[in-house]
Amino acid sequence: MSIAQRLQDLGIELPTVATPAAAYVPFVRSGDLVFLSGHIARKDGKPWVGQLGAGMATAEGALAARAVAVDLMGTLQAATGGDLERVRRIVKVMSLVNSAPGYTEHHLVTNGCSELLGEVFGDKGKHARSAFGVAQLPLGACVEIELIAEVD
């Protein structure tokens, strides 16, 4: 099954690349690797604000990370000239979780992104990953994730 078909079956429509909010570009290609800049969680077009362990539950954080994965795939689609079939593999995901002191479920929040990438890309979506807790993220977002992919 094609990636486009998987996305359609999941009811996912990929967004266009967002305009950067600061002095950076959405992605950089170096050889066969594409490095996607960090994408913050958005809900209804606005930053998905919250802090895990302080009013925001892990399940909601995982939904936010899943939303980030959709945005990352939109940027990755632009980086591949509109053809996600050119993705050989998702290499690495790095997740930053806005979390209160003592919160320890960053990995479960990040699963929201990782699991969707697996659903869409199959074995090519299995990746190395890091999940960090941080004191704050831009605009108060609950999650920020960056991605590295190998492409044709």
Side-chain angles (χ1 to χ4, degrees):
M1 179 184 303
S2 72
I3 291 169
Q5 184 62 53
R6 285 187 195 125
L7 289 167
Q8 185 176 353
D9 289 350
L10 292 167
I12 295 172
E13 186 174 324
L14 297 180
T16 58
V17 177
T19 303
Y24 64 90
V25 293
F27 63 87
V28 171
R29 182 163 180 174
S30 180
D32 292 342
L33 297 177
V34 175
F35 297 80
L36 302 189
S37 293
H39 287 50
I40 63 168
R42 295 191 172 279
K43 185 176 187 180
D44 301 324
K46 297 178 182 169
W48 196 327
V49 175
Q51 189 171 54
L52 280 292
M56 180 176 255
T58 299
E60 184 180 1
L63 290 174
R66 183 179 174 93
V68 175
V70 172
D71 289 345
L72 286 165
M73 287 187 286
T75 301
L76 186 56
Q77 181 169 282
T80 59
D83 186 6
L84 287 175
E85 297 296 337
R86 292 181 56 205
V87 174
R88 281 191 225 150
R89 136 162 254 145
I90 304 299
V91 176
K92 173 92 187 240
V93 165
M94 188 183 78
S95 172
L96 303 171
V97 179
N98 181 349
S99 53
Y103 183 78
T104 60
E105 295 185 338
H106 312 91
H107 61 297
L108 298 176
V109 168
T110 306
N111 278 349
C113 174
S114 294
E115 291 169 357
L116 182 57
L117 293 173
E119 287 179 64
V120 172
F121 291 99
D123 285 342
K124 296 190 296 184
K126 294 179 181 176
H127 53 271
R129 150 182 129 173
S130 300
F132 299 96
V134 296
Q136 196 52 259
L137 288 169
L139 306 174
C142 57
V143 180
E144 179 176 354
I145 302 174
E146 64 181 49
L147 181 147
I148 302 168
E150 182 183 13
V151 299
D152 288 328

